[in-house]
Amino acid sequence: MSAARVAPQLAVVGLDGVSFNVLMPMVDRGVLPNFRRLLDLGAHGPLVSTVPWQTPVAWTSMATGVNPGGHGVYGWWNPDLRSGELVPASGARVERARYWEVLSGTGVVVGVVNVPMSYPARPVRGFTIAGLDCPSSAPEDDPLLAYPRGVLDEVAQPTPDGVRRYRVMPERLDGEDTLAAAARWTEVERHRADSFFALVDRYRPGFVQLNLFATDHIAHRTRPGDPARDLAYRSADEFLGRFLDLYPETDVLVVSDHGSCPIDDFLMVHNFLRELGVLHFGPWLADEQVPVVLGPDASARECARLVERLRREGRAFRAELFERHRDRFPGANVGFSTIDWDRTSVFCTSDYGQLRINRERGAGAVVSDAEHARLLDRLTTAYLDLRRPSGEPLVERVLRRDELYRGPHAAAGPDLTPVPAATDVYFCQVYSFYGAGEDRLVAPIGDVVDPARTGCAGDHHAEGILIAAGPRITARGRLAESSVLDIAPTVLDLFGVDPLPEHEGVVLADLRGHDRPGTGASEPVDEQTEGLRLRLMSLGYRI
């Protein structure tokens, strides 16, 4: 190491959607030498995600040390019953301190890049570059994406031909095969790493974190063993090797927010609710179906203009367009924007079949607590009775809100959460998949969508990864199961900082040869978001 280079004390490397069921076979094949290097140097074990096990929820819980009821992020989209719109979630509404902000407050210089749900970049001692929840259409031009303001311009000057060196995500993904998409992600993340290392050299932080996203994007579109997935994982391995070579004195925690697995079938949640008679859609063209109706050649701006007109002109215009297109697209009226609230008592906006009771809009709203309790019982029984065509149960158990969530935002969470009996079934609420219509409750994914193009070849499971190695990490081999909630108190402890009172996880003291303590304490579209909406859609996070 040169005299000018100062090693961080601790680095967290965040890898979206990485799981041992995919990672270890690749390590055994010898294609991930730097993962092998870390595994041999330290210890590893499963890292259990949040419910739901989804990127924005899990990274926010990891950073803040609290469950979704404590920070208020339940997914990529927030249902707004008053407007009838699904609004992109954002880290701007998270009130809890992330662990790097706590460290900064104690005087530690920090450097954090690309953690989801960290927009806007808050002032810290050091630097931060936020993630993809930036609401702007061109996030790299948003002055709130990075702190200090303008710091991104200093390390990410365009190439001579005008190409940006730092991007939140690739410019174009639609229409490309998975290998081409993986190559684009690899290029973006190599430039991200370049910016990261330049800032680390300049600011000399004691704590650093870089998150990479390609592993999850490609996992949604491929099966294990696909060359595109290998490329995404090798890109992450390349970054690890570069970091380990530069900073051998640094303790490293490699973490993921959830795992990934192949999926074979859709459980069409909205057909399930329609058959129960608790969800109804009006005969109106849905906002979510506009890209289907306009076709694959329509631009994002064309789609946005039609959505704006639908909202401006109302149901008569929606009805006219639906009638015009219903023969080709019988599902073109299926969307959150076209729910008939006078006849709807239950709806779903979750990728994991989480159900919400309508208690506030239209004649269908459930007013009495007794009716609410009866409806929860009925839905629970109906979920548990669901079977695959082979006769196997689809749902293992059903959890109520107060079993999962606690804290100031618990009331905003879903009422019921099904626990799938198998990982190869996707509980599909995705409105924009209904354009051609699908009446079955359970259908092979390939019958409904193009799995690779729509990001439905794979999905998440609840078990991510933790790999720990470094001079102060004495643990070796296999670790006991940990939780994403354990990361915040553990990071603080590695700097001699006490966990915050609200932290629900425990310090992973076994990383340094001590006994791990018991369970931690728990606590009792407008235009500004249109850029984020389109970016989420392009990544496959449909509405």
Side-chain angles (χ1 to χ4, degrees), residues 60-237:
T60 306
S61 282
M62 193 184 302
T64 62
V66 299
N67 79 94
H71 57 65
V73 177
Y74 287 96
W76 286 114
W77 308 95
N78 292 324
D80 183 343
L81 269 65
R82 294 183 180 180
S83 68
E85 297 176 25
L86 291 175
V87 180
S90 172
R93 298 183 180 180
V94 175
E95 301 158 350
R96 303 286 185 171
R98 285 90 167 177
Y99 49 71
W100 59 86
E101 295 166 351
V102 178
L103 289 175
S104 173
T106 68
V108 177
V109 179
V110 302
V112 177
V113 173
N114 200 44
V115 178
M117 312 310 285
S118 60
Y119 178 92
R122 297 175 179 171
V124 293
R125 185 186 299 266
F127 66 90
T128 60
I129 302 174
L132 62 83
D133 59 307
C134 172
S136 304
S137 298
E140 299 83 6
D141 293 330
D142 189 323
L144 299 182
L145 183 71
Y147 184 88
R149 307 304 178 211
V151 69
L152 193 57
D153 296 333
E154 300 175 23
V155 295
Q157 293 298 317
T159 62
D161 56 356
V163 177
R164 292 181 182 273
R165 295 186 189 274
Y166 189 98
R167 297 200 66 88
V168 170
M169 57 177 281
E171 285 190 75
R172 181 169 51 86
L173 291 169
D174 290 343
E176 294 197 335
D177 62 42
T178 53
L179 191 58
R184 282 185 172 275
W185 270 111
T186 297
E187 179 183 20
V188 164
E189 298 202 324
R190 187 174 295 117
H191 288 315
R192 196 186 324 280
D194 290 343
S195 298
F196 170 81
F197 284 116
L199 289 170
V200 170
D201 274 350
R202 174 180 168 185
Y203 284 88
R204 301 184 179 185
F207 171 80
V208 296
Q209 178 163 346
L210 176 72
N211 277 44
L212 302 177
F213 194 74
T215 44
D216 183 72
H217 182 88
I218 300 302
H220 279 285
R221 290 156 176 80
T222 61
R223 297 273 174 154
D226 188 285
R229 187 175 295 206
D230 285 4
L231 180 57
Y233 272 68
R234 288 203 310 271
S235 176
D237 188 81

Side-chain angles (χ1 to χ4, degrees), residues 163-455:
V163 177
R164 292 181 182 273
R165 295 186 189 274
Y166 189 98
R167 297 200 66 88
V168 170
M169 57 177 281
E171 285 190 75
R172 181 169 51 86
L173 291 169
D174 290 343
E176 294 197 335
D177 62 42
T178 53
L179 191 58
R184 282 185 172 275
W185 270 111
T186 297
E187 179 183 20
V188 164
E189 298 202 324
R190 187 174 295 117
H191 288 315
R192 196 186 324 280
D194 290 343
S195 298
F196 170 81
F197 284 116
L199 289 170
V200 170
D201 274 350
R202 174 180 168 185
Y203 284 88
R204 301 184 179 185
F207 171 80
V208 296
Q209 178 163 346
L210 176 72
N211 277 44
L212 302 177
F213 194 74
T215 44
D216 183 72
H217 182 88
I218 300 302
H220 279 285
R221 290 156 176 80
T222 61
R223 297 273 174 154
D226 188 285
R229 187 175 295 206
D230 285 4
L231 180 57
Y233 272 68
R234 288 203 310 271
S235 176
D237 188 81
E238 176 185 303
F239 170 78
L240 282 178
R242 189 174 171 186
F243 187 91
L244 293 173
D245 289 343
L246 284 173
Y247 304 114
E249 303 94 334
T250 299
D251 292 325
V252 177
L253 302 180
V254 178
V255 296
S256 67
D257 52 338
H258 53 72
S260 62
C261 58
I263 51 176
D264 299 314
D265 295 319
F266 276 153
L267 168 62
M268 313 299 281
V269 176
H270 287 78
N271 287 343
F272 165 67
L273 295 177
R274 286 196 284 187
E275 286 196 5
L276 291 174
V278 296
L279 173 67
H280 299 269
F281 299 100
W284 316 305
L285 177 63
D287 296 355
E288 297 86 351
Q289 303 302 333
V290 164
V292 176
V293 169
L294 291 184
D297 294 331
S299 68
R301 180 47 54 194
E302 289 174 309
C303 292
R305 279 200 296 263
L306 181 52
V307 169
E308 289 168 5
R309 187 178 174 192
L310 289 170
R311 294 176 181 176
R312 183 175 63 251
E313 299 195 19
R315 286 184 175 180
F317 183 56
R318 289 182 184 274
E320 176 189 336
L321 290 189
F322 177 57
E323 190 61 34
R324 186 185 305 170
H325 295 287
R326 70 185 305 171
D327 288 343
R328 287 187 61 207
F329 303 109
N333 70 319
V334 176
F336 187 75
S337 59
T338 49
I339 290 176
D340 184 344
W341 295 104
D342 287 333
R343 298 189 294 154
T344 291
S345 56
V346 184
F347 63 99
C348 175
T349 58
S350 163
D351 293 334
Y352 300 94
Q354 294 180 297
L355 304 182
R356 294 173 180 267
I357 309 298
N358 170 24
R359 303 208 69 174
E360 62 181 272
R361 183 170 179 183
V366 175
V367 177
S368 75
D369 291 342
E371 183 185 358
H372 181 262
R374 286 193 297 269
L375 192 51
L376 290 179
D377 289 341
R378 181 186 174 205
L379 293 166
T380 297
T381 299
Y383 253 145
L384 294 173
D385 286 344
L386 283 175
R387 295 290 185 272
R388 303 181 88 147
S390 61
E392 299 167 311
L394 282 162
V395 176
E396 179 181 303
R397 58 192 173 123
V398 181
L399 300 172
R400 306 233 170 158
R401 181 168 57 205
D402 59 4
E403 295 179 81
L404 286 173
Y405 307 122
R406 55 204 173 275
H409 300 284
D415 292 270
L416 287 179
T417 297
V419 178
T423 60
D424 65 336
V425 178
Y426 179 69
F427 283 54
C428 177
Q429 63 79 24
V430 184
Y431 297 111
S432 49
F433 290 163
Y434 281 78
E438 174 55 60
D439 295 329
R440 288 173 290 181
L441 286 181
V442 181
I445 289 172
D447 289 0
V448 183
V449 296
D450 177 341
R453 185 181 63 81
T454 58

Side-chain angles (χ1 to χ4, degrees), residues 423-508:
T423 60
D424 65 336
V425 178
Y426 179 69
F427 283 54
C428 177
Q429 63 79 24
V430 184
Y431 297 111
S432 49
F433 290 163
Y434 281 78
E438 174 55 60
D439 295 329
R440 288 173 290 181
L441 286 181
V442 181
I445 289 172
D447 289 0
V448 183
V449 296
D450 177 341
R453 185 181 63 81
T454 58
C456 290
D459 198 58
H460 307 165
H461 66 70
E463 192 174 284
I465 71 166
L466 168 63
I467 305 173
R472 295 183 299 159
I473 306 297
T474 60
R476 297 292 182 270
R478 184 77 172 177
L479 291 168
E481 182 181 275
S482 307
S483 163
V484 294
L485 296 174
D486 299 332
I487 300 303
T490 299
V491 168
L492 297 184
D493 181 73
L494 286 168
F495 283 88
V497 177
D498 290 338
L500 300 183
E502 64 263 29
H503 282 170
E504 299 171 26
V506 300
V507 173
L508 300 178

